[in-house]
Amino acid sequence: ARKHTLTVRRLPAVGEEALFLISLIECILVASTRLCTMSWLKEYKHFQLRGRENFSKYVRIELKLLAAEWKVILPCVVMQYVHGIFHNWAYYIQGHKLSVEQRFPLYDLGFELMPELSEKNAHWSEYLVFGAVFAPAIALVVSIPLFRQNPRKPRYMVIILKRVLLHLSIALVSAPMTSHVVKERSPYTSSYIHQAFRIISFMVTALPGPARHCRPVLNQECVANNPGNPTLCVVPNPYFKPPTKSEFFTNMDALNGCGDLMFSSHTIYTLSFILTVSKYWPHKWLVGIMVCVQIAIAFLIVAARKHYSLDVFSALYIVPLLWFTQEAYLKDINNKDVEITPGTIKQFYAIDESEYEELQSAIYGEAVEDNIEKYKHFQLRDKENFLRYVRIELQLLMAEWKVLLPCTIFQYVHGIFHNWAYYIQGHMLSIEQRFPLYDLGFKLMPELKEKDSHWSEYLVFGGVFAPAILLVLSIPVFRQNPRKPRFMVIILKRVLLHLSIALSFRIISFMVTALPGPARHCRPMFDEKCLADNPGNPTLCVVPNPYFKPPTKSEFFTNMDALNGCGDLMFSSHTIYTLSFILTVSKYWPHKWLVGIMVCVQIAIAFLIVAARKHYSLDVFSALYIVPLLWFTQEAYLKDINNKDVEITPEAIREYYGIDVAEEIELQSTMYAEVVENSLESGVRVQTPGGKAVWSVYLVLWRTDELDIGNDEALGGDVGNHYRRMDH
């Protein structure tokens, strides 16, 4: 019983003996309840079928849960059908919008390394998807109504279906609750914003389908006679049957589409099911086997030419990022910090109408809080203050250089791969593979003139980089808020680590599948007279592009021209850097107007990049959701001082680095001393629950640990006990 925290109210006219007796009775009751619960848990056995009465109770609870969550589940189910409609639309674009040249498969590293599977073996990926991932996951969910659940960690189908369907629909739910305690009879309401990342990704930029039934079929005799011009030898593919517009809503053939490539739906579903099993049935052998199956599926999908390596690899990191971001930030019962127990089910769904005691909170005078805020912005550091600051930064640098140095070097490594991608464009791609892809953004926005194409760079450097860098450089110049001091090393660690992770995914993405560069200096040029004579065969009219200058292998390490590359497209590095800088500013300088202006600049940059043909719409749009997902996942799961649950204060710096931020503490103490003087002059009083008036000076001094409030007779024992109880 000593393990339990017991709250005993101080009743008037009740002696200490009576209070002791009440406490003893309560201890006995709690202990006996505990023992009963333990004996009940011992009776629980795995795979024990439910009795009729137990099943009826279970169904009633599921129905109540369904009544609470149907507004989430129903749209998510409908979203699966909507996805099928866009799947057909993508197939339609392949057949009616793309030229013959645009339908030739892209250069893909996976295709180069793995021979294509024969037609009879191409279905092995489906066998594994349905047999080794879908089947066990569905069987586990279906077993919930049949078998009794662990009373400590019960499972309910509605809760699990909500989690997986919400994730599959890429729908983010923001609940108005700020805590896990739900007041009596307060309904659990939520608003959801559907952001179908995959649909938008494959609709804005059409990658040519690499599957047998999608790609052009060539007459081999003609190819032998025309080795340099395969477009002359294209014959109809009997298996290429894009749907008509009237079939968009009826022809739901998920396995035989073309064009819905980025990113792999096979991997979305399988990985989502594996993550679901790992959350609700965390058996390491089961999850381990399913992960091995997922790896095999990834290779088989590429070997069967159902997807490019880019599609599969992107899904392998986007899907977990979405999952764990929802786990961290979605404030519902499936949050990573919430354990699904009978108690939390009562809290989140108000199924049990038992009363919950509201926690008491102390009320403090507003004048005290107002007087504490004496910090002034833009106050220059003096020499002594600056030297102390530099010493702290050097101590932080000594603690974090093992992170900062590799992340800085990685920016150079990214430049090397940038050159390699340009080299592939010039030496590995055929003429047909260098034709720009069909892009919705290109159709909607005319290409900017050469003199106007640099506007995106002006906004990148002037509207995002400049203010962000100036803010960071202002840290050594101006005094910082003593409650929330900023240090350059901590901020640089956060942004450089994030950039390195994002660039790692980017490098792999553009190296495994080479998208043709759409920029002026990348795409093929044509002889206009020849085009007029050969309107259906532009490959005959290709002439050398004088601006297309891929680096040699010896220039990989020396030619660092970040603005004039070709092939490093997926996903946009412009957007990676600008969005990372905006997220940095929003974290450390959360001024809504500043962040709002920078976000508007980011939106303008996104459109200008596409209008200048520096990236496809797919590249920019993907970066706009991948970068924040990486940022917020890192915020939630990286246990360092930049974690979302850690506030950077002098105390936090002391805890994480063992560094005493003496200058900041000294400034803080000086500030509090000013507050004491102001409080004494104004004579502000604070009313305590015990009815005694206490001078605000005591509260302020107590905050700085200069006075033990519990032992000061001037305040009275009751007041001291009160504040000690409130843990304030």
Side-chain angles (χ1 to χ4, degrees), residues 87-88 90-91 94 209-211 213-214 240-241 243 253-261 306:
H87 161 93
N88 288 334
Y91 200 167
Q94 295 280 311
H213 65 280
C214 301
F240 183 65
K241 299 175 181 179
D253 186 359
L255 299 179
N256 293 306
C258 290
D260 59 328
L261 296 167
K306 295 174 182 176

Side-chain angles (χ1 to χ4, degrees), residues 280-571:
Y280 299 101
W281 290 271
H283 301 286
K284 61 181 180 180
W285 287 106
L286 173 62
V287 176
I289 291 170
M290 294 179 80
V291 168
C292 293
V293 171
Q294 173 64 76
I295 295 170
I297 290 170
F299 283 99
L300 287 170
I301 288 171
V302 176
R305 305 301 189 257
K306 295 174 182 176
H307 278 280
Y308 294 107
S309 305
L310 167 66
D311 312 330
V312 177
F313 173 73
S314 299
L316 287 174
Y317 66 82
I318 291 173
V319 173
L321 282 174
L322 285 168
W323 179 276
F324 291 117
T325 302
Q326 288 186 49
E327 289 273 278
Y329 294 94
L330 188 59
K331 299 298 183 184
D332 73 344
I333 198 168
N334 284 308
N335 186 278
K336 71 181 182 70
D337 297 324
V338 178
E339 188 176 15
I340 299 176
T341 64
T344 54
I345 292 172
K346 291 176 184 177
Q347 288 177 343
F348 277 94
Y349 294 101
I351 290 175
D352 192 329
E353 295 186 358
S354 59
E355 296 288 339
Y356 288 97
E357 288 189 0
E358 292 187 357
L359 299 175
Q360 294 182 353
S361 59
I363 301 174
Y364 298 98
E366 294 181 0
V368 176
E369 293 296 327
D370 293 338
N371 285 332
I372 287 175
E373 300 297 334
K374 290 294 181 181
Y375 161 69
K376 295 180 180 179
H377 294 283
F378 306 114
Q379 186 179 2
L380 288 171
R381 296 181 186 270
D382 55 27
K383 182 179 179 180
E384 183 181 1
N385 186 285
F386 177 77
L387 292 175
R388 289 178 179 177
Y389 161 78
V390 171
R391 283 197 294 271
I392 294 169
E393 286 281 19
L394 290 175
Q395 288 178 287
L396 292 172
L397 183 61
M398 292 301 295
E400 295 290 7
W401 72 269
K402 293 180 181 178
V403 176
L404 293 175
L405 182 60
C407 291
T408 304
I409 294 172
F410 197 79
Q411 310 305 307
Y412 172 71
V413 173
H414 173 258
I416 296 171
F417 282 98
H418 162 93
N419 288 334
W420 195 347
Y422 200 167
Y423 176 86
I424 289 173
Q425 295 281 311
H427 298 86
M428 309 293 284
L429 270 60
S430 65
I431 293 294
E432 292 78 15
Q433 288 176 327
R434 284 187 53 210
F435 276 65
L437 304 175
Y438 173 86
D439 190 278
L440 183 62
F442 295 177
K443 292 291 180 183
L444 297 177
M445 289 185 289
E447 185 173 6
L448 294 177
K449 298 177 181 178
E450 190 170 0
K451 66 177 182 179
D452 297 327
S453 62
H454 301 295
W455 271 103
S456 58
E457 269 70 36
Y458 300 153
L459 287 180
V460 166
F461 288 97
V464 178
F465 284 10
I469 292 171
L470 284 173
L471 285 171
V472 174
L473 293 178
S474 71
I475 295 173
V477 179
F478 297 104
R479 288 179 179 266
Q480 301 298 304
N481 186 334
R483 280 186 170 177
K484 297 180 180 179
R486 304 181 188 98
F487 291 96
M488 290 179 68
V489 169
I490 294 174
I491 296 174
L492 288 175
K493 176 196 174 185
R494 179 69 182 92
V495 69
L496 285 173
L497 187 60
H498 170 71
L499 284 172
S500 299
I501 295 171
L503 292 175
S504 300
F505 287 125
R506 180 175 189 264
I507 288 170
I508 299 173
S509 298
F510 68 66
M511 288 300 295
V512 295
T513 303
L515 307 187
R520 279 188 181 86
H521 65 280
C522 301
R523 61 188 184 234
M525 295 185 71
F526 303 98
D527 184 304
E528 297 298 331
K529 184 179 179 181
C530 176
L531 280 179
D533 297 336
N534 300 275
N537 193 5
T539 52
L540 290 174
C541 307
V542 173
V543 295
N545 185 336
Y547 304 104
F548 183 65
K549 299 175 181 179
T552 61
K553 291 182 179 179
S554 61
E555 293 177 319
F556 279 13
F557 302 92
T558 56
N559 184 24
M560 294 294 152
D561 186 358
L563 299 179
N564 293 306
C566 290
D568 59 327
L569 296 167
M570 178 60 198
F571 40 102

Side-chain angles (χ1 to χ4, degrees), residues 12 46 79 173 176 226 243 259 433 439 445 560 613 667:
H46 292 285
M79 191 67 180
V173 181
N226 299 275
Q433 288 176 327
D439 190 278
M445 289 185 289
M560 294 294 152
R613 306 300 189 257
L667 179 60

Side-chain angles (χ1 to χ4, degrees), residues 17 46 70 132 135 155 189 192 199 234 293 323 369 478 483 485 514 529 572 581 585 599 635 645:
E17 296 83 359
H46 292 285
W70 72 270
R155 304 182 188 98
T189 58
Y192 36 82
I199 290 174
V234 173
V293 171
W323 179 276
E369 293 296 327
F478 297 104
R483 280 186 170 177
K529 184 179 179 181
S572 165
F581 277 43
V585 171
V599 168
E635 287 272 279
D645 297 324

